[in-house]
Amino acid sequence: MAAGASGPTMTFGRKKKTRSIWDDPDAVEVIEIPLEQLHPNPFNPRLVYRDEDIDDLTESIKAEGGVLQDLSVAEVEGFLEYWRARLAETQPEKLDELEDKLGSVPAGDYVTLIGHNRAISLARAGHDTAPCKVTNSKIPRARLLGLPENMRRIPLNPIEEALGFQGALDDGMLQAEVAAQTGCKQPHISRRIKLLKLPSELQKAVMDGLAVSEAEILLDRLTTREQLLQAWLVMKEEGIKAAFAAARVLSPPAPTSSKTKAKTKPAPPVPQQQKHSPDEPGPEGAPATGANPEEKKPSRSVLGASDQQTERTNPEEQKEPEPDPSAEAAQLRVQACRTVLELGVPSNPRETLRLLAPALLAAPSKAARETAHEWLRSSAKPIGPDAAKPDKYFAEVSASGDAKLTAHVALAVALAVAEQRASTANRPWDAQDRDYLAHLKSAVNYQPTEWEQDRLGGK
């Protein structure tokens, strides 16, 4: 596209050509306006101006001796009159922002509806004025006009696009109309607008290069701002994908022995005998404690078993039992299995088959099926039919004809079989156990404990 081009190619119907919002309804005279009198469109969605992009346009202007397309501007007085009334009616919270940007602009100046990048580049190229068409008729479409500012030459980032699309919708346009005027497909517009549900920290991440697909995964799987921010923190700290981070948030890791220590019940305190005056009788007519209190002290032989234990043991000196490394590792593996199921069936069928085949050959036990059923139904987003009994659940899954669901449930059963086998005491681990842990590692970056590494022979 030639230097100074300001909008994308329009998409029109085959039978009837629709007038573009960038078309001038009437012939408008081109006038030179001092650059100092041109002010940015306050509804321009562009938030980031990259120097290299402006420099490219500047060099093009220098080579051509000016811009090849005139700027479209509107008188600031008419602009403020229209938008003050419009925002007061529809979005009063936006009035302060409008006043901050244009309220102090001198009367007689102009708002740049289309061509702000060109105005910046003209100034860098040493020009004092810009060729402009005063098109006050476009003031009501100022929100949408800011969207395609050099949309092809200097693309907007996804958040800027979303702000532009949302502004057009706020202005009363339908998504279909925005699509027709911008040449973007309607699903693209919907997906961009959805990004505005992200917290500001994640919106900035998208502007800085976070893939839109990753942001969309977080939005699809998480519901609260806290969950989204927590997932983003996990992504940054551990370098994992959005799907894994979302699953981690929905199913946080089980506590380890360093965080949860076994609690011992302290022995009951020894009841203290009530003291009495030497001249007063004890309770219920007991003889008074006189000159020789040792005679009244019960001997060790008549103390009850619990009392003897209490005397021997100081609750503060009781030692906590050592954590069981096998139980701790099992907890972590179960948590990893739950996370795998949150993510769904792996895309690599060979890897999944390596896990499914042994489970099928072993004929899943009732306990393994019950475990798989519990994992699937207690997920943050329950998977499969709402059946409380495992037999009914698996029968409904088989009868559903849903291949994706059936594979998901089969994966859960295979994981349960593998975990049941790994948790069996007094048996050496073998290649199947190694494949099981390798699957957890590749799927959710599971890191075997030292105890598990010893079981695997240090591998």
Side-chain angles (χ1 to χ4, degrees):
M1 183 176 287
S6 61
T9 303
M10 296 298 100
T11 302
F12 305 116
R14 293 182 178 179
K15 295 183 178 179
K16 182 180 179 181
K17 185 175 180 180
T18 305
R19 178 180 292 275
S20 165
I21 54 172
W22 292 279
D23 294 338
D24 290 324
D26 303 303
V28 180
E29 180 183 1
V30 176
I31 59 175
E32 290 288 333
I33 297 178
L35 292 173
E36 61 185 19
Q37 290 185 258
L38 300 179
H39 305 275
N41 180 354
F43 302 117
N44 189 342
R46 186 176 295 281
L47 303 175
V48 179
Y49 291 89
R50 300 191 307 171
D51 280 343
E52 55 268 33
D53 294 329
I54 300 298
D55 288 342
D56 288 344
L57 186 54
T58 301
E59 293 303 317
S60 177
I61 289 173
K62 288 179 179 179
E64 298 291 341
V67 294
L68 299 182
Q69 187 174 356
D70 309 315
L71 283 65
S72 179
V73 302
E75 294 171 339
V76 71
E77 292 171 295
F79 189 96
L80 285 172
E81 180 181 359
Y82 175 87
W83 281 104
R84 280 169 174 160
R86 182 64 177 270
L87 293 178
E89 179 182 350
T90 60
Q91 292 179 291
E93 70 279 3
K94 295 284 187 179
L95 277 173
D96 289 343
E97 184 179 344
L98 177 69
E99 295 296 338
D100 287 342
K101 293 181 177 180
L102 290 179
S104 60
V105 170
D109 282 5
Y110 300 86
V111 178
T112 306
L113 300 177
I114 305 174
H116 183 60
N117 287 338
R118 278 168 279 161
I120 297 175
S121 298
L122 281 167
R124 289 192 181 184
H127 292 249
D128 296 324
T129 63
C132 303
K133 293 180 179 179
V134 181
T135 52
N136 291 330
S137 60
K138 293 182 180 180
I139 289 175
R141 286 289 179 262
R143 288 203 248 215
L144 183 58
L145 290 171
L147 174 62
E149 172 72 12
N150 282 334
M151 201 170 187
R152 267 190 160 188
R153 185 177 179 87
I154 308 178
L156 297 170
N157 66 55
I159 297 300
E160 290 172 338
E161 281 190 29
L163 291 170
F165 292 143
Q166 186 61 55
L169 299 183
D170 291 341
D171 196 24
M173 296 185 72
L174 301 175
Q175 284 193 17
E177 293 177 296
V178 177
Q181 293 292 348
T182 61
C184 298
K185 293 183 179 180
Q186 193 168 342
H188 173 82
I189 295 172
S190 298
R191 289 175 59 193
R192 285 294 189 262
I193 290 175
K194 188 177 180 180
L195 295 177
L196 298 180
K197 295 181 180 180
L198 292 169
S200 58
E201 295 89 338
L202 265 165
Q203 289 189 29
K204 184 179 185 303
V206 172
M207 293 173 64
D208 291 341
L210 176 65
V212 171
S213 58
E214 291 287 277
E216 289 175 336
I217 287 174
L218 295 180
L219 285 171
D220 289 340
R221 302 193 180 195
L222 304 175
T223 56
T224 67
R225 181 178 186 276
E226 290 71 21
Q227 288 178 332
L228 290 165
L229 290 175
Q230 186 178 353
W232 173 232
L233 182 62
V234 171
M235 289 174 68
K236 289 191 297 181
E237 290 184 346
E238 302 188 20
I240 61 178
K241 294 291 186 179
F244 299 155
R248 184 79 60 81
V249 169
L250 292 172
S251 300
T256 62
S257 60
S258 62
K259 295 181 181 179
T260 56
K261 299 182 179 179
K263 295 181 179 179
T264 56
K265 185 177 181 180
V270 180
Q272 296 182 355
Q273 295 183 1
Q274 185 175 357
K275 295 181 180 180
H276 302 278
S277 167
D279 299 327
E280 293 180 354
E284 299 183 359
T289 56
N292 189 1
E294 293 295 330
E295 296 179 359
K296 303 302 180 181
K297 182 178 179 180
S299 66
R300 180 174 294 274
S301 62
V302 300
L303 287 174
S306 62
D307 295 326
Q308 292 184 38
Q309 178 65 29
T310 302
E311 281 199 351
R312 286 197 306 267
T313 306
N314 184 348
E316 295 181 357
E317 296 177 356
Q318 292 183 7
K319 293 184 179 180
E320 297 175 348
E322 292 293 330
D324 182 356
S326 63
E328 179 182 282
Q331 274 189 321
L332 296 174
R333 290 196 306 272
V334 167
Q335 187 57 55
C337 288
R338 290 179 176 275
T339 304
V340 169
L341 296 177
E342 290 281 356
L343 299 177
V345 180
S347 58
N348 186 342
R350 181 176 300 178
E351 181 183 337
T352 306
L353 184 60
R354 289 179 63 183
L355 196 66
L356 293 177
L360 293 173
L361 294 174
S365 65
K366 180 180 179 182
R369 287 162 60 88
E370 289 176 348
T371 296
H373 173 260
E374 192 273 329
W375 287 349
L376 293 162
R377 294 305 306 151
S378 63
S379 173
K381 294 183 179 179
I383 301 162
D386 185 14
K389 295 185 177 180
D391 288 343
K392 182 180 180 182
Y393 176 88
F394 289 111
E396 291 185 15
V397 170
S398 298
S400 68
D402 187 334
K404 186 176 181 180
L405 173 61
T406 302
H408 205 157
V409 173
L411 174 63
V413 174
L415 288 170
V417 169
E419 178 52 37
Q420 186 180 53
R421 190 171 184 273
S423 299
T424 302
N426 301 323
R427 59 164 288 271
W429 279 9
D430 55 22
Q432 289 188 30
D433 301 290
R434 187 171 292 109
D435 286 344
Y436 171 42
L437 264 68
H439 183 86
L440 297 182
K441 184 174 182 179
S442 65
V444 293
N445 197 29
Y446 179 74
Q447 299 299 319
T449 66
E450 291 185 7
W451 180 85
E452 289 171 324
Q453 290 174 6
D454 289 340
R455 298 274 283 179
L456 292 170
K459 296 182 180 180

